[in-house]
Amino acid sequence: MRFARKSSRRRYSEYRELRRSTPAKTESILDEVEAANARRKRSRSFGELFFSFLGTLRPHRAAIALALGTVTFSSGVALLVPASTKFTIDYVLGDSPGPTGLPDGVVGAIRHVGLEPTRTTLLWLVCVVVLALTAASLVVGTWGRFQATRVTKRLQAELRRRAFEHAIRLPLHRVQELRTGGLASLLREDAGQAGDLVFSMVYNPWRAVVQLLGTLVVLTIVDWRMLLGAILLIPAVWISHRTWIRRIRPVFRDIRATRAAIDAQTTESFGGIRVVRGFGRAATESSRFVTANHFMTRKELLTWWWSRVVEIAWSIMIPLASAAVTIYAGLEIIAGRLSLGDLIMFTTYLLLLLGPLETLTSTATNIQTNLAAMDRVLDLIAEPVEFAGASGAIRLAPGQVRGQIEVRGVSFSYPKATQRIVARALSGARSIERGSPDKRPEQHAQDRERPVLAGISLMVEPGQTVALVGASGSGKTTLCNLIARFHDPSSGSILLDGIDLRDIDVESYRRLLGIVEQDVFLFDGSVSENIAYGRRDATPEQIVEAARIANADGFIRSMEQGYDTVIGERGVRLSGGQRQRIAIARAVLADPVILILDEATSNLDAESEAVIRDSLLGLMRGRTSFVIAHRLSTVRGADQILVLEQGRIVERGKHEELLRAGGRYAQLLRTQLEAGKENSEEPLVAE
């Protein structure tokens, strides 16, 4: 909502004031969250980043050496071409020294091929030689540049692969901490810019150095005094580069940050389009978008003016330098110490000198940007992966597992970085559930210090069904997450068939699981692809059978392309109940040993739930199942019902036993009856 409260003009004025108050800084102006994250990052030196980059280039050393060899050849050959201007003016077009003044070696070489050194012959020879040199430089240079480009693309793909494979194994709480779109930006933009170091740090600087040294050698041969004058341009280049570094580049960084924020807001607005329209906020969202874009446009205009200042400075310096060279060389020509060809050639090489200088200065800027991207990629790769440090992990096959789950004295607290998110979610849920105002901030602080689970012990025999009931925030989902090993307990242990989950390979363990959550996530693919997500070798017949069990076959066949229908991002083309049934079919097809149903029927209407109730009971039969209860019909058949409050088990037993005991379970049921919610599909607790 930060874009909606200030006009773009006011925000821009405040931005300029901040920028003027810190003129010496090269960093972009970050918001508080970004600044805090930046302070936590480890700062790597240029040397560390450089050698890390060289390490990534090790498999491509031959291709890099070949590319540098070709660019050396092509740049050297290209430097010979401007010398043709002196030859043409002095020996072809001019009378002094004219063709008769050609060096004896050149005359002998021309006659050796059966030609006479006339003006016409020399003119043709110059053109042929220039074309040949240009063609050779172009062919060899293009081929070498292709080698460097191929290395760049391979390196980008390799860095993206390494970053993705590492990121997907990060602890769940770390993934949740990442800002929306931040990880995708890192994988796409930062890994790509890190790969661009092949050009910004190796290829382009090498080519510029070859051109610069070659040009300086030629200028020295012509007249070393004019060379000294040309070298005076270097401070001007440095000053303009410093202007870029200090003034323009930080604003470009801010523009990219603003653009990222606009993209995030746009994605959020369209992702919540039903809420936007339901509350009549379309105009507000549009205003936020337009204001943010106006703010970014003002920044872009600021960079335009600064860029023009640099261009104007260069537009003045180059004519001044050319005028000085012309006056000096003209006096030398009048005195007979230089030829007209020397002047033209020197002026040409002087202009060529500016190219490498500009390349080196702009490369310095690109290197900083690309190294920053490399630093971010290295930060990600350096983060510990999920359950790092486990050694000698046991790999399990489904046929080897009975499915006995034992929970021994388990307590759990979320990492501090995610406790604020959990507290906000729980406070909102409690406010809705109880119809009461939210707690005071100091009470939230106390909640964050309290463990989510405390001293949980439980034995579940193979094939048993355990139902978890309780108010929101009591720890039901957290306990299921620990059983699924999305987290490890802070203390205590969870065992499968007597083996601690921490001793089991996490990938092989999760292949034993089938999970259906209340918040169903479907991928942007076909219906059949989503159902077969947990079992990629499933046949079409098996997919259809799983859909029938989940009561999804009917509505799937009524869609325009049946099982091949693309359902859109997160299943946007389906209703909530349809998404839930596809998720159930996905779990059915996975044929899990351990089944976790987190309010799996909450989005189904009464008729659909009644149809698939027997199918769910059939699915749970013979499987160790954990059910977060939402419907009374789901609870009644459970082998154990656990009532959780504030992370502790306060009651356990079967449905009839708990009703006779008249404890918390019976109290929850009476509360619903008194509220007039008693029916065959009533919620057990208000979630």
Side-chain angles (χ1 to χ4, degrees):
M1 297 298 179
R2 55 186 177 183
F3 290 162
R5 298 188 178 182
K6 298 179 182 178
S7 67
S8 62
R9 183 186 299 276
R10 181 179 174 186
R11 292 180 61 205
Y12 178 70
S13 298
E14 293 175 355
Y15 172 80
R16 289 299 307 276
E17 187 63 31
L18 282 173
R19 182 55 68 193
R20 280 192 292 266
S21 66
T22 55
K25 290 188 177 182
T26 61
E27 297 85 358
S28 58
I29 296 177
L30 305 172
D31 62 32
E32 293 181 3
V33 175
E34 290 172 322
N37 290 336
R39 286 192 294 270
R40 288 198 299 266
K41 296 296 183 182
R42 175 178 177 269
S43 178
R44 294 180 177 86
S45 66
F46 174 85
E48 288 180 290
L49 291 172
F50 179 71
F51 285 110
S52 296
F53 172 67
L54 291 183
T56 63
L57 285 183
R58 189 170 292 112
H60 310 285
R61 286 177 295 184
I64 290 294
L66 185 61
L68 295 181
T70 56
V71 75
T72 301
F73 172 82
S74 63
S75 298
V77 169
L79 286 173
L80 299 176
V81 174
S84 63
T85 57
K86 170 180 171 58
F87 189 92
T88 302
I89 293 173
D90 288 348
Y91 299 109
V92 178
L93 303 179
D95 293 328
S96 176
T100 57
L102 284 171
D104 293 338
V106 175
V107 174
I110 294 174
R111 287 176 175 168
H112 181 72
V113 296
L115 299 174
E116 288 297 324
T118 63
R119 294 180 187 273
T120 302
T121 301
L122 292 176
L123 183 61
W124 279 100
L125 283 176
V126 169
C127 293
V128 170
V129 170
V130 168
L131 290 175
L133 291 176
T134 302
S137 175
L138 182 62
V139 171
V140 175
T142 301
W143 187 72
R145 189 175 184 85
F146 168 72
Q147 299 299 320
T149 301
R150 187 167 63 172
V151 171
T152 298
K153 297 305 177 184
R154 288 179 174 176
L155 189 61
Q156 289 174 341
E158 174 66 16
L159 289 174
R160 287 179 176 130
R161 180 189 64 79
R162 288 177 58 191
F164 184 88
E165 290 181 351
H166 192 89
I168 208 169
R169 289 174 171 81
L170 289 176
L172 189 61
H173 71 86
R174 180 67 186 106
V175 176
Q176 292 169 341
E177 290 171 18
L178 296 174
R179 297 184 64 184
T180 302
L183 186 56
S185 175
L186 192 152
L187 295 173
R188 183 182 64 254
E189 299 295 336
D190 292 327
Q193 289 186 6
D196 287 338
L197 282 168
V198 172
F199 276 97
S200 63
M201 185 176 280
V202 179
Y203 187 87
N204 289 338
W206 182 271
R207 180 180 61 182
V209 168
V210 171
Q211 292 174 339
L212 181 63
L213 294 178
T215 303
L216 291 176
V217 169
V218 174
L219 294 178
T220 303
I221 294 174
V222 176
D223 191 311
W224 65 270
R225 289 178 292 270
M226 285 199 296
L227 171 64
L228 293 178
I231 292 177
L232 293 178
L233 287 174
I234 295 178
V237 173
W238 182 81
I239 292 173
S240 65
H241 171 62
R242 291 296 297 171
T243 301
W244 175 271
I245 292 292
R246 294 168 62 89
R247 295 288 185 180
I248 303 177
R249 186 162 58 89
V251 184
F252 270 119
R253 288 181 178 178
D254 293 337
I255 290 173
R256 287 196 294 270
T258 304
R259 185 179 294 115
I262 293 172
D263 291 343
Q265 179 229 314
T266 304
T267 302
E268 184 180 51
S269 297
F270 283 97
I273 190 65
R274 293 174 61 87
V275 177
V276 172
R277 292 183 177 178
F279 286 88
R281 302 289 288 180
T284 302
E285 294 299 320
S286 177
S287 176
R288 290 175 61 199
F289 178 79
V290 171
T291 302
N293 273 279
H294 285 176
F295 178 50
M296 184 176 68
T297 300
R298 293 176 186 275
K299 289 183 180 179
E300 291 172 335
L301 291 175
L302 176 63
T303 60
W304 184 90
W305 276 113
W306 273 109
S307 299
R308 298 297 77 75
V309 169
V310 175
E311 288 183 5
I312 292 171
W314 275 94
S315 298
I316 295 173
M317 286 188 296
I318 292 177
L320 286 176
S322 299
V325 169
T326 301
I327 292 173
Y328 172 79
L331 295 175
E332 292 294 296
I333 291 173
I334 293 173
R337 290 187 290 269
L338 282 179
S339 67
L340 181 60
D342 290 329
L343 171 62
I344 301 301
M345 182 176 69
F346 187 90
T347 304
T348 303
Y349 277 107
L350 180 62
L351 295 176
L352 287 179
L353 181 66
L354 300 177
L357 291 175
E358 184 179 0
T359 298
L360 290 174
T361 53
S362 63
T363 295
T365 301
N366 292 335
I367 285 177
Q368 293 182 47
T369 302
N370 295 340
L371 283 179
M374 184 77 178
D375 202 14
R376 289 192 65 192
V377 174
L378 293 177
D379 280 338
L380 176 66
I381 295 176
E383 290 197 28
V385 297
E386 183 182 37
F387 312 127
S391 59
I394 302 170
R395 299 188 65 85
L396 299 176
Q400 302 172 335
V401 178
R402 296 170 52 241
Q404 182 194 66
I405 294 290
E406 181 181 0
V407 181
R408 292 182 180 173
V410 164
S411 297
F412 178 76
S413 298
Y414 283 103
K416 291 182 179 180
T418 56
Q419 287 179 359
R420 290 187 300 273
I421 300 173
V422 175
R424 283 197 299 268
L426 296 183
S427 65
R430 292 177 184 135
S431 179
I432 294 173
E433 175 185 334
R434 300 177 182 175
S436 59
D438 196 6
K439 289 185 177 182
R440 296 190 302 273
E442 58 269 21
Q443 290 176 295
H444 285 315
Q446 295 172 0
D447 287 344
R448 290 196 291 271
E449 295 299 325
R450 177 177 55 82
V452 181
L453 296 176
I456 301 292
S457 294
L458 173 68
M459 173 64 78
V460 185
E461 296 298 333
Q464 282 191 344
T465 297
V466 176
L468 308 175
V469 301
S472 295
S474 59
K476 306 185 300 298
T477 298
T478 300
L479 179 57
C480 287
N481 286 341
L482 293 178
I483 292 170
R485 211 188 170 198
F486 291 146
H487 309 283
D488 275 342
S490 303
S491 62
S493 59
I494 301 177
L495 294 83
L496 171 66
D497 294 346
I499 305 173
D500 195 314
L501 293 188
R502 285 171 285 210
D503 297 329
I504 300 174
D505 177 74
V506 66
E507 293 294 333
S508 68
Y509 173 69
R510 287 182 182 154
R511 293 191 187 100
L512 308 174
L513 304 178
I515 302 175
V516 181
E517 297 180 310
Q518 179 182 16
D519 184 16
V520 174
F521 187 93
L522 299 178
F523 294 90
D524 185 10
S526 67
V527 173
S528 60
E529 288 172 341
N530 275 277
I531 294 177
Y533 185 77
R535 187 176 172 185
R536 310 308 289 176
D537 60 345
T539 64
E541 292 76 16
Q542 292 171 326
I543 293 173
V544 171
E545 180 61 24
R548 286 183 183 143
I549 293 174
N551 192 30
D553 181 65
F555 82 80
I556 292 174
R557 291 188 183 277
S558 67
M559 302 172 74
E560 60 270 23
Q561 297 181 19
Y563 283 84
D564 294 326
T565 302
V566 176
I567 60 177
E569 184 178 1
R570 297 183 66 93
V572 68
R573 300 182 62 188
L574 304 176
S575 68
Q578 289 172 335
R579 290 196 296 269
Q580 202 83 12
R581 279 178 275 178
I582 288 181
I584 294 172
R586 181 168 59 190
V588 170
L589 187 60
D591 193 20
V593 176
I594 300 169
L595 185 65
I596 297 175
L597 302 177
D598 189 348
E599 301 189 13
T601 61
S602 61
N603 288 330
L604 297 178
D605 55 71
E607 182 180 356
S608 296
E609 190 208 4
V611 172
I612 71 167
R613 185 183 307 154
D614 293 337
S615 298
L616 278 176
L617 293 175
L619 174 63
M620 290 186 288
R621 190 174 298 115
R623 294 180 170 86
T624 305
S625 303
F626 295 86
V627 180
I628 295 181
H630 184 75
R631 308 270 185 170
L632 181 59
S633 56
T634 307
V635 173
R636 287 183 176 179
D639 297 292
Q640 296 186 62
I641 298 175
L642 306 181
V643 182
L644 277 75
E645 280 192 355
Q646 297 184 350
R648 298 179 182 274
I649 298 176
V650 296
E651 281 188 309
R652 70 175 76 201
K654 291 191 175 183
H655 176 72
E656 294 79 6
E657 297 171 350
L658 294 176
L659 285 181
R660 286 196 300 269
R664 179 60 175 157
Y665 180 83
Q667 180 184 355
L668 290 171
L669 185 56
R670 281 197 303 270
T671 300
Q672 292 184 350
L673 291 171
E674 292 170 1
K677 297 180 179 179
E678 173 65 6
N679 55 60
S680 59
E681 289 81 34
E682 65 182 332
L684 184 61
V685 291
E687 292 285 336

